[in-house]
Amino acid sequence: MFNIQKAVSRLNFAPALKEIEITDIKNGIGVFTPKADRPVSFAALKEALKKAGYKLASANVTVRGKVERNGEAWRLVADASGQPFTFEGEGVGNLIPAGASDALIEVTGDWMTIGEGNDAREVISTHPAMKTAPTRNESAQESRRPESIEVTSGEPISGSPLPVAPIRTTSPGLTVYRGGAFVPRYVYTRQKLGDLEVDRHTLQLGLSYTPTAKLQLEAEIPITRLLFKDKTTSGESGAVGNLTLSGKYRFFRQVEAWGDRQAAIRIGLELPTGQKDGPNQQELQAPAFVRQQLSPISGGLSPHLDLSYSQAKGRIIFGGNVEGILRSERDGFRMGHELRINTDLEYVLFPFKYSRPGGEVFAILETNFVHRGTGRVGGAPVAGSRSTEYFLAPGIQYAAHPRFVIEGSVQLPVVRDIGPLVLRTQFSVLVGVRLLY
């Protein structure tokens, strides 16, 4: 729903983003008061929402101003902006005090733009039950209230606000149109192989930008600090990993009341920018393939291809993704090519009465299947370097604000078939935040 707010805030007559209030997240309804000195346009509002991926079903406008004759018809000239609104509908006669041209009234009605360009005019469609305000002889303070607009999107969003997405599963969502997200995460992973124990501390810095309603550009880089020890030695290192650049294209979206289905394809390229060296033989008495796993990279230039899908209905969100990574060698080393299959199940725990975005608590259960093929060292395949693992990852998210989310997840191995030269993950803890801009 933050996507709708941000799209509306870009209009020249709209107020600041924080002043656009979402009153009904289920039906996609928001309210805002336009800038007092700016003319408004239903057509411009509709186009702004269309660019953000939403269809404007209807809009109500409340206008206070003076009534005047316009040929055979009546129109209302807004008190604040001086913009004229034409009346239509069977309730017009009830709005005009008997014989009172130039009367000051307040009207609420369905709003639309008729015509284009210089011929465009803003129209209020009224009906007998439409609200009227006091005449000009009544409260002067009340008469200074500005117009207000209530927007109903024809494509209401799902039960989750836009910053929320799976923690370890790729989401087909695009955060926010003409904006993006900064996603810093800390991941602690404990690994073992025989007597060798490895503690891996990683800070993952993610940045995204969404220039259109279907395309998102992303970048992520890890910074790793690693500590290892066995019976005879110990050591530590710190280094930057490979930078990954990607583009996500959402090719399918179907939105309904209190529900949302979408699918996207993501193509990425992992660049060989990270530190490539692990401990040497003097620092750790272990095979070369084991020592290389203690570097912050898994190989060289590597393309990523990812297909993701999600659907939401009410308080339940389900999704999944399939990702393939084709690894290339860097100085003769690479891990095996990867196939990843992830699923995501989310439930909105709080609030119980869910009408506005913000303050939600999500319970999350993800599964992660990871298969790696044969790795290489010195340009030669390494026997015992294949692995297949299946993890469960329960987590929780708190949307403190539609633009700020706190999240945490614990990943635990359930099934694994791992070669004798592959480090075994005991568990992984992830904490992070998402900040939209």
Side-chain angles (χ1 to χ4, degrees):
M1 186 59 86
F2 175 67
N3 209 7
I4 292 178
Q5 291 170 291
K6 189 160 188 178
V8 172
S9 72
R10 293 181 181 277
L11 295 166
N12 64 358
F13 58 83
L17 187 146
K18 64 181 180 180
E19 297 177 24
I20 301 171
E21 182 183 8
I22 302 304
T23 58
D24 187 340
I25 194 172
K26 179 176 180 179
N27 294 302
I29 299 176
V31 176
F32 68 94
T33 299
K35 294 177 180 177
D37 60 343
R38 303 286 178 86
V40 299
S41 169
F42 175 88
L45 175 62
K46 184 177 181 179
E47 182 64 20
L49 290 174
K50 181 180 178 181
K51 288 181 178 180
Y54 292 88
K55 178 182 177 182
L56 178 60
S58 64
N60 285 345
V61 63
T62 299
V63 182
R64 176 180 289 275
K66 295 179 180 179
V67 179
E68 64 179 29
R69 277 284 189 181
N70 182 29
E72 296 298 320
W74 288 95
R75 70 180 185 182
L76 181 67
V77 179
D79 192 38
S81 65
Q83 181 179 13
F85 291 80
T86 302
F87 283 133
E88 288 189 357
E90 57 179 312
V92 173
N94 298 331
L95 296 173
I96 313 302
S101 181
D102 203 34
L104 184 64
I105 64 173
E106 181 182 276
V107 177
T108 299
D110 295 332
W111 176 36
M112 67 187 73
T113 300
I114 295 180
E116 297 180 356
N118 295 331
D119 296 327
R121 57 192 176 95
E122 302 305 311
V123 176
I124 301 176
S125 297
T126 62
H127 51 77
M130 281 297 154
K131 170 188 171 184
T132 61
T135 67
R136 66 187 317 181
N137 295 323
E138 298 182 67
S139 170
Q141 182 175 356
E142 283 291 310
S143 70
R144 290 195 294 269
R145 291 187 302 176
E147 303 99 317
S148 67
I149 296 172
E150 180 180 83
V151 177
T152 302
S153 167
E155 295 184 347
I157 66 167
S158 67
S160 63
L162 287 167
V164 174
I167 298 175
R168 299 175 186 266
T169 304
T170 302
S171 167
L174 303 185
T175 59
V176 58
Y177 168 56
R178 287 190 181 174
F182 175 55
V183 186
R185 291 171 160 184
Y186 166 74
V187 183
Y188 169 67
T189 305
R190 167 63 63 88
Q191 296 175 305
K192 290 192 68 175
L193 182 59
D195 295 329
L196 177 63
E197 295 183 356
V198 178
D199 291 321
R200 194 181 298 265
H201 303 265
T202 303
L203 177 63
Q204 296 175 345
L205 301 177
L207 189 68
S208 70
Y209 180 73
T210 307
T212 76
K214 294 186 176 182
L215 177 66
Q216 179 170 297
L217 306 176
E218 301 171 294
E220 183 179 82
I221 190 166
I223 303 172
T224 300
R225 181 171 180 78
L226 188 140
L227 298 90
F228 63 89
K229 65 178 180 179
D230 59 14
K231 287 184 176 181
T232 60
T233 188
S234 64
E236 60 181 83
S237 64
V240 176
N242 287 343
L243 171 66
T244 301
L245 303 176
S246 59
K248 184 196 299 182
Y249 178 74
R250 183 171 61 190
F251 59 85
F252 168 77
R253 192 180 190 196
Q254 186 176 71
V255 193
E256 58 190 29
W258 206 223
D260 192 350
R261 292 191 293 168
Q262 50 187 332
I265 185 170
R266 183 171 69 174
I267 299 175
L269 190 62
E270 185 177 332
L271 306 177
T273 57
Q275 172 65 40
K276 62 183 179 179
D277 298 321
N280 58 39
Q281 188 71 34
Q282 288 71 37
E283 295 172 314
L284 179 64
Q285 297 292 320
F289 186 77
V290 174
R291 289 187 280 109
Q292 279 294 154
Q293 290 175 72
L294 301 185
S295 73
I297 68 170
S298 296
L301 190 70
S302 302
H304 295 228
L305 180 62
D306 192 320
L307 185 65
S308 59
Y309 172 83
S310 74
Q311 64 179 44
K313 188 66 176 178
R315 291 176 174 267
I316 298 176
I317 304 163
F318 174 77
N321 79 289
V322 179
E323 180 182 14
I325 306 174
L326 188 63
R327 300 226 174 261
S328 68
E329 296 179 28
R330 187 174 180 193
D331 287 354
F333 164 74
R334 69 165 172 81
M335 299 291 289
H337 304 314
E338 294 183 29
L339 172 65
R340 296 173 175 264
I341 303 174
N342 305 309
T343 66
D344 163 57
L345 179 63
E346 303 179 41
Y347 183 79
V348 183
L349 290 174
F350 305 104
F352 294 116
K353 186 178 180 181
Y354 192 32
S355 60
R356 301 185 183 188
E360 300 94 335
V361 177
F362 291 79
I364 298 177
L365 179 62
E366 295 177 280
T367 68
N368 314 116
F369 172 86
V370 182
H371 172 75
R372 292 186 179 91
T374 301
R376 301 176 77 90
V377 167
V382 178
S385 60
R386 298 170 62 93
S387 65
T388 300
E389 299 173 281
Y390 182 75
F391 300 89
L392 288 181
I396 193 165
Q397 286 178 327
Y398 171 55
H401 183 275
R403 287 187 283 172
F404 181 70
V405 174
I406 304 170
E407 60 190 11
S409 170
V410 179
Q411 187 184 62
L412 303 169
V414 178
V415 178
R416 57 188 176 192
D417 180 12
I418 300 179
L421 295 182
V422 180
L423 294 175
R424 289 156 169 75
T425 297
Q426 304 299 299
F427 63 89
S428 175
V429 177
L430 182 155
V431 293
V433 299
R434 301 171 192 253
L435 178 64
L436 267 67
Y437 60 88

